[in-house]
Amino acid sequence: MTLVLVADDDADIRDLVAFKLEQSGLEVIAVEDGQAALEQARSRQPNLAVLDVSMPGLSGIDVCRMLRADPVTAGMLIIMLTARVQEHDVEGGFSAGADDYVTKPFSPRELVSRIQALLSRTRA
Amino acid sequence: MHHEELETAKTVFLSTVSHELRTPLTSIAGYVELLLDAEAGELNPAQQRMLEVIGRNTRRLRELIEDMLIAAAIESGEFRTAKRSVDLAGLVETALAEIASAAAAASVRLCAQVYGPLPLDADPDQLDRVLADLLANAVKFTPPAGTVTVTGRRDGDTVVLAIADTGMGIPAAEQPALFDRFFRASNAIDQASPGTGLGLAIARTIVESHDGRIEVRSAEKVGTTVTVWLPAAR
């Protein structure tokens, strides 16, 4: 089964994403900050991580960079969630090594289709 | 406060406000979508209609916030485009899906003739803004039983997008002011139709920052066509 890590400090959004992904047949680990995301990514090695950019402590961009730097997690698919349309977030996300980014407010349906597109691209 | 500090404070403020506004909107719009998709169980027709109203108004609020934030960014000199490879045909499809429920509620027919793919080197979020604003205007100013037609095609090095409506049109004398910020046509004000007068000003700033051009042709009681030309990706 495909395992997806979801990290967002806003509980309502975290539950929203987790619920939608589970309904779409994915297995979900949901965490509320960057440190927990990093730990879960290393121990559970999910196929894909959805990381909110703005989290207290380690930001999504920090986590992304650290995952890419670690050979164990370097190949993980990463989607960033950002609430800012400003270019430094988007470029920051891509330069940290994210595969895609989704801007808040996003549609849960759209997020799932982006996730599935990334998963199928790597499987093909 | 020094000028530079003031500018930095403005930037930080904008960034904070946009984050603070978009986070709750994500939850509202997201949970409404889940309910409407019957992910939490089947809805009866009355519940369905009520949720559609919430969804439509959430979208309106979101459009308004996005327009305000982008206008503020333009004003403070913070406006930047982050270009990457995008397909305009795909963006149009998404924008049409977004406006579909507002069009249905207004009994306006949506019609699309888009010959994709239409590859651009562009900022997808900003083009979404242009499409959302132009489509919202077209639907808003078209009476019931009217039609909004979106055409998109490639013409050599250029991608041409046109949004045509069979709406109330804009008085000829007022057309030169259309792209001015906060400008609203007299017939729009007479009809008390909602709006801020920001949409076209924003659309022009975005289109021009993509080295493109935007033009409005309109005749009163006949309709309005907005055409956008953008350089195609090589």
Side-chain angles (χ1 to χ4, degrees):
Chain A
M1 200 174 190
T2 307
L3 184 62
V4 179
L5 171 66
V6 175
D8 197 312
D9 58 321
D10 186 297
D12 294 337
I13 294 177
R14 193 168 65 240
D15 291 348
L16 172 73
V17 172
F19 180 85
K20 181 68 186 184
L21 298 191
E22 278 165 2
Q23 295 285 93
S24 313
L26 300 163
E27 199 186 333
V28 177
I29 319 165
V31 297
E32 63 182 17
D33 60 38
Q35 189 57 44
L38 204 56
E39 282 159 19
Q40 291 295 319
R42 284 175 176 158
S43 63
R44 307 277 303 272
Q45 298 195 25
N47 305 75
L48 185 144
V50 179
L51 305 174
D52 180 32
V53 166
S54 132
M55 291 186 287
L58 290 179
S59 76
I61 291 179
D62 297 332
V63 174
C64 182
R65 202 171 285 127
M66 292 161 96
L67 290 176
R68 286 288 181 252
D70 182 344
V72 179
T73 52
M76 194 177 292
L77 295 168
I78 298 175
I79 295 182
M80 309 290 302
L81 295 180
T82 170
R84 297 174 188 141
V85 196
Q86 274 144 13
E87 84 287 359
H88 56 82
D89 261 18
V90 173
E91 278 171 12
F94 278 125
S95 69
D99 297 285
D100 201 357
Y101 78 95
V102 172
T103 319
K104 292 178 184 178
F106 57 86
S107 134
R109 232 184 277 132
E110 165 79 8
L111 178 63
V112 167
S113 76
R114 298 272 199 105
I115 288 174
Q116 280 161 349
L118 272 184
L119 288 170
S120 65
R121 208 198 300 163
T122 45
R123 272 189 202 125
Chain B
M1 222 187 253
H2 292 296
H3 181 68
E4 260 173 47
E5 285 172 29
L6 191 63
E7 287 304 309
T8 313
K10 267 204 276 186
T11 306
V12 171
F13 176 72
L14 256 184
S15 177
T16 309
V17 167
S18 68
H19 183 262
E20 292 306 308
L21 291 171
R22 285 185 182 119
T23 300
L25 265 184
T26 303
S27 278
I28 298 172
Y31 282 99
V32 167
E33 183 190 299
L34 287 187
L35 287 169
L36 278 172
D37 284 352
E39 301 248 22
E42 290 304 315
L43 300 169
N44 70 39
Q47 291 168 333
Q48 169 105 18
R49 270 197 311 278
M50 289 174 192
L51 279 169
E52 278 165 6
V53 172
I54 298 174
R56 211 162 54 233
N57 284 282
T58 304
R59 204 147 37 233
R60 224 171 105 186
L61 190 59
R62 172 187 167 179
E63 302 297 342
L64 196 62
I65 290 170
E66 296 301 327
D67 275 356
M68 276 168 42
L69 289 173
I70 216 165
I74 293 169
E75 179 73 6
S76 73
E78 268 296 298
F79 177 80
R80 307 271 184 285
T81 49
K83 293 181 185 174
R84 57 183 179 129
S85 302
V86 291
D87 175 18
L88 183 65
L91 296 180
V92 169
E93 199 181 316
T94 311
L96 283 168
E98 287 274 318
I99 195 85
S101 112
S107 301
V108 170
R109 199 166 70 93
L110 291 176
C111 180
Q113 296 162 342
V114 178
Y115 302 96
L118 300 171
L120 297 175
D121 190 24
D123 185 319
D125 292 322
Q126 289 181 6
L127 291 188
D128 275 345
R129 204 89 296 291
V130 173
L131 291 168
D133 279 335
L134 297 183
L135 284 170
N137 275 345
V139 168
K140 185 166 61 184
F141 294 122
T142 300
T147 305
V148 170
T149 307
V150 182
T151 55
R153 64 190 164 83
R154 192 174 169 147
D155 181 9
D157 294 340
T158 307
V159 167
V160 188
L161 175 84
I163 295 172
D165 66 54
T166 57
M168 64 204 265
I170 304 143
E174 298 179 13
Q175 290 181 18
L178 270 182
F179 291 100
D180 295 350
R181 224 159 37 121
F182 307 124
F183 174 81
R184 304 202 61 223
S186 55
N187 48 352
I189 296 167
D190 289 347
Q191 292 206 356
S193 71
T196 55
L198 283 172
L200 280 175
I202 287 169
R204 184 167 71 174
T205 303
I206 292 173
V207 168
E208 289 181 351
S209 76
H210 283 81
D211 304 313
R213 193 159 63 82
I214 183 168
E215 189 183 276
V216 176
R217 282 175 188 272
S218 185
E220 258 188 291
K221 299 191 177 71
V222 177
T224 301
T225 299
V226 182
T227 309
V228 174
W229 292 265
L230 291 163
R234 290 173 190 283

